[in-house]
Amino acid sequence: MCGILGGVWKQVDNSLEDRVKSALLTIRHRGPNDSGYEITSINGNCLVLGHTRLSIIDLSSAGHQPMYSHDRKYSVVFNGEIYNYRELRVELSALGYEFRSDSDTEVLLTAWQHWKEESLPRFVGMFAFVLFDHERGTISCVRDAFGIKPFFYTHEHGSFIFASEVPAIKALKKSKVGLNWQRAYDYLAHGDYDSNEQTFFKDVFHLPPGNIIRYSIATEELTTPEAWYSPLLEERTDLSFADAADELRERFLSSIRLHLRSDVPLGAALSGGLDSSAVVCAMRYVEPDMPIHTFSYIAKGSSLSEEHWADQVNEYVRAHANKVVVSPSELIRDLDDMIRVQGEPFGSTSIYAQYRVYQLAKERGITVTLDGQGADEMLAGYLGYPGQRIRSLIESGQYSRAVRFLNNWSKWPGRSVKWGVGSTLGQLTTGAVNDVLRRLDGRTNVPAWMHEGSLRDAQVNCENSRRHCPIDLRGRRLTAELAASLHRRGLQHLLRHGDRNSMRFSIESRVPFLTTELSQFLLALPEHYLISDKGETKHVFRAAMRGIVPDDILNRRDKVGFETPERDFLVQNADKLRVWLREDLKLPFLSSARLLTEFDSIVAGTKRHSSQVWRWVNFYRWHQMFMD
């Protein structure tokens, strides 16, 4: 796991090397074991490739980057892991290639040398890399299918700049980076972020998951992002439920085996929920004698505490349990660091629990952790996407089955018929009708503490851009929503949280659910295999894990995860937060006075608390740190 940066500058100046060194320092936490950069003159242009290294596989200096291919035609800077590098190395060796190291970076480079872009679907892993073709004078920038590893890029006066994190982009640029008003609105009004190519920084972009862009030094042309991976969504009808569970079991265990490859100590993040518990139990199943260290956040004295469930898993697999308990004062103490680490605003204080879990892992000498991220988006987790499932049944003409599903689904904890009906109406309505329904639920496109005129003048689209799925798949609306969540929106902000929090403490966080083979298999299954007609989410996965995960865990009907009692945190620190919110950000679209009035009403208990409060605090503090 590493950090990468660089670009092409059309006009070379004396400050470039200093800017490169400064940029490398901003991502030093991503790779504290080694760093390197090269500045190469090409036809009057300047090519920079920089890298910081967290040594995981082949700890020797042979893994230093930038790395060159044997024929010196290609050089690469790479962030991530290729878990099946050993199998690819055997295949490439049989084709006549020789290797100087045991590094997965060298395997990636050699695979590209032989197969070019066709090598990408062969990689099982998480990656963002930049590869320079010395003969053609072209740069290829690639991101993994799910966007597990970050990649940002921008232009400046004809220059092309890229990096693993925005602070490195800012350090490489000469000019100041401004605020993207559209993303600020999307986040503050609707809680939407990391759902498209735009960032909170004007003209700084994400490379979308599963995409590639190319830059030609000679022509200065940057191609538009092009998908190298898109999931196939055609339903399979050749597998019974039992056969699907058996096949899923083997595919999941195979992924766990690959994700355990490491030359440094491993651990696991354990919330006590089904997904993280399955990862930990599968680790024990495939490695009966391996020492397992788990790391859990405990919400002491709260109904959100999952300590009982984590204890049960730890006892079951004979793990070395490590727990962290946090207080509201600790959140305030670490808040600035967490906001700085994340680089952009985020959704809730729950990621502080994750932040502290990785901090504890670092203190215990662990360098790699396995995590259950991505399972909900693959297996219709959370609350089961009732609107999408009911819409599928309606479009298939199964009206009575849709009614039965709604009735059964609503009987589970945290659900209701009213919510299920509302979700379905949201799926079946568009435009003005949908806006009316949202207003009836107390939600508006432009809150009272925003100035609509200023937003409209700046051509900000004042709508909830995430209301409708970008994939149109009649009769398989749940499948379409899951595919969009996995590869276009939804999962991306969760992966961002995990990447930045783990990298803050130089921890490599691995996500064994997120392989294209596993996701493709699950997205092809009938929808009722994922969420049953009885309303059980992750239906086929629960069946697949029988005998590996304790039945009590598999039979759980609730979900908490690494959640914090957010309202308590905010109310107990209201005085300090109010000082932050009084700050004049000089943004015409915000009414600070109205915002403060609403904040005081929520703290006093005269108005209902919502996640919007956190978004105010987060955005104000982030703006003060990154924009002012």
Side-chain angles (χ1 to χ4, degrees), residues 248-259 286 517:
L248 176 56
R249 175 190 179 107
E250 292 309 312
R251 288 176 183 267
F252 181 65
L253 292 176
S254 176
S255 181
I256 291 291
R257 290 187 186 94
L258 283 179
H259 282 74
V286 302
E517 179 184 356

Side-chain angles (χ1 to χ4, degrees), residues 110-408:
T110 307
W112 186 281
Q113 181 180 349
H114 185 76
W115 292 302
K116 304 297 186 296
E117 288 89 342
E118 293 180 3
S119 63
L120 298 175
R122 295 173 178 265
F123 297 147
V124 179
M126 51 183 181
F127 49 85
F129 66 85
V130 173
L131 188 141
F132 178 57
D133 185 325
H134 291 258
E135 289 187 344
R136 297 183 178 180
T138 57
I139 297 171
S140 297
C141 309
V142 184
R143 198 173 181 202
D144 67 70
F146 303 96
I148 305 170
K149 293 292 101 186
F151 189 93
F152 297 93
Y153 67 98
T154 190
H155 280 92
E156 182 185 49
H157 308 307
S159 300
F160 171 61
I161 303 171
F162 66 86
S164 293
E165 296 186 10
V166 173
I169 294 274
K170 294 178 69 177
L172 289 169
K173 282 173 61 66
K174 280 187 171 182
S175 57
K176 184 178 179 180
V177 179
L179 175 68
N180 182 340
W181 279 30
Q182 181 66 59
R183 285 279 81 182
Y185 162 81
D186 294 338
Y187 171 74
L188 288 167
H190 303 295
D192 178 26
Y193 61 104
D194 290 356
S195 58
N196 57 41
E197 295 176 40
Q198 295 187 43
T199 71
F200 283 81
F201 300 91
K202 188 177 180 180
D203 298 325
V204 177
F205 302 96
H206 299 279
L207 177 60
N211 272 244
I212 180 172
I213 53 175
R214 302 172 184 85
Y215 181 80
S216 169
I217 294 179
T219 66
E220 302 181 29
E221 180 185 359
L222 177 67
T223 64
T224 56
E226 175 186 347
W228 64 263
Y229 175 79
S230 295
L232 301 175
L233 303 180
E234 184 177 351
E235 181 177 330
R236 290 184 62 174
T237 59
D238 60 327
L239 284 176
S240 67
F241 181 82
D243 289 340
D246 288 343
E247 186 169 342
L248 176 56
R249 175 190 179 107
E250 292 309 312
R251 288 176 183 267
F252 181 65
L253 292 176
S254 176
S255 181
I256 291 291
R257 290 187 186 94
L258 283 179
H259 282 74
L260 289 178
R261 289 180 172 175
S262 172
D263 293 330
V264 295
L266 292 120
L270 175 64
S271 69
L274 173 58
D275 308 334
S276 62
S277 297
V279 169
V280 171
C281 292
M283 290 169 66
R284 172 58 69 224
Y285 187 85
V286 302
E287 291 287 350
D289 301 319
M290 174 183 131
I292 296 178
H293 298 264
T294 65
F295 299 88
S296 304
Y297 159 76
I298 306 300
K300 281 289 187 185
S302 168
S303 60
L304 298 176
S305 178
E306 298 219 276
E307 186 173 17
H308 163 72
W309 301 105
D311 286 345
Q312 188 171 342
V313 173
N314 284 321
E315 182 178 356
Y316 187 78
V317 302
R318 308 181 309 280
H320 302 282
N322 300 270
K323 302 176 183 179
V324 60
V325 180
V326 302
S327 66
S329 62
E330 290 174 313
L331 171 62
I332 293 298
R333 179 196 67 195
D334 295 332
L335 186 57
D336 278 359
D337 184 63
M338 187 167 64
I339 291 173
R340 178 188 60 79
V341 166
Q342 286 296 313
E344 297 180 86
F346 48 93
S348 74
T349 61
S350 65
I351 79 160
Y352 181 60
Q354 185 187 64
Y355 172 99
R356 290 294 298 273
V357 161
Y358 288 126
Q359 183 182 50
L360 182 60
K362 176 69 172 180
E363 292 169 356
R364 297 291 189 269
I366 297 296
T367 308
V368 174
T369 62
L370 272 62
D371 193 290
Q373 200 63 267
D376 286 305
E377 290 75 13
M378 282 186 179
L379 293 157
Y382 299 105
L383 294 174
Y385 301 84
Q388 289 86 346
R389 178 58 183 146
I390 292 171
R391 185 180 179 186
S392 290
L393 293 171
I394 291 174
E395 290 179 344
S396 301
Q398 302 180 68
Y399 304 108
S400 59
R401 188 178 179 185
V403 172
R404 290 195 302 271
F405 172 81
L406 173 60
N407 182 57
N408 291 330

Side-chain angles (χ1 to χ4, degrees), residues 519-553:
S519 69
Q520 189 64 74
F521 173 75
L522 289 167
L523 290 175
L525 294 179
E527 290 186 351
H528 67 277
Y529 284 16
L530 303 181
I531 179 165
S532 74
D533 288 348
K534 296 293 185 182
E536 181 182 64
T537 63
K538 306 177 184 178
H539 185 40
V540 69
F541 187 65
R542 294 175 195 264
M545 291 293 100
R546 295 289 174 187
I548 296 177
V549 177
D551 285 345
D552 284 351
I553 300 292

